[in-house]
Amino acid sequence: MTGTVVKVIVDRPLGSYHPEHKDLYYPINYGYVEGYIAPDGEEQDAYILGVNKAVKEFTGKIIAIIHRYDDVEEKWVVAPVELNFSKEEIWKQVYFQEQYFKSEIHMCL
């Protein structure tokens, strides 16, 4: 799956807040990939890195998968095809939400 180009539909754009957890601010775009069902029965969630403005949708490559040990789902990390990020860079950008879970980043090869 990693390295695959996917289209992410953004339902929590950069600068927005979580609909239920009103204090959870989204410093990056976050959404889902249509057609891929995650273990929680919903469409696959994805963080978008490398896009510094709010967008409604985004097409990019999967650069990493965040495996949560204490949750049933994983999160995909999607970025522009020409960009790559280190584990440390990814962690810094997704920490706002991943801090609440025990998770590990699996990078693309």
Side-chain angles (χ1 to χ4, degrees):
M1 201 75 244
T2 55
T4 302
V5 174
V6 295
K7 181 168 93 173
V8 180
I9 306 302
V10 177
D11 57 358
R12 297 183 196 155
L14 183 154
S16 67
Y17 288 85
H18 192 283
E20 294 174 18
H21 306 285
K22 302 296 184 190
D23 60 336
L24 183 59
Y25 173 80
Y26 282 81
I28 59 175
N29 291 289
Y30 178 84
Y32 59 91
V33 179
E34 287 183 316
Y36 290 93
I37 303 302
D40 66 355
E42 301 290 329
E43 290 177 301
Q44 178 62 53
D45 292 330
Y47 293 110
I48 300 171
L49 304 187
V51 178
N52 298 320
K53 64 179 182 177
V55 295
K56 292 183 179 183
E57 62 181 47
F58 173 76
T59 300
K61 68 178 177 179
I62 301 170
I63 62 166
I65 296 174
I66 298 174
H67 175 73
R68 289 181 173 174
Y69 292 102
D70 51 356
D71 196 4
V72 298
E73 61 181 317
E74 297 180 327
K75 305 292 182 182
W76 291 355
V77 180
V78 178
V81 174
E82 68 278 3
L83 292 181
N84 284 304
F85 293 87
S86 68
K87 276 187 183 183
E88 293 77 20
E89 290 170 321
I90 293 170
W91 186 251
K92 184 177 179 181
Q93 293 192 53
V94 302
Y95 182 78
F96 75 98
Q97 184 163 261
E98 292 304 316
Q99 66 181 315
Y100 302 109
F101 299 92
K102 182 179 179 194
S103 56
E104 179 178 24
I105 298 173
H106 298 275
M107 299 298 294
C108 295
L109 298 176

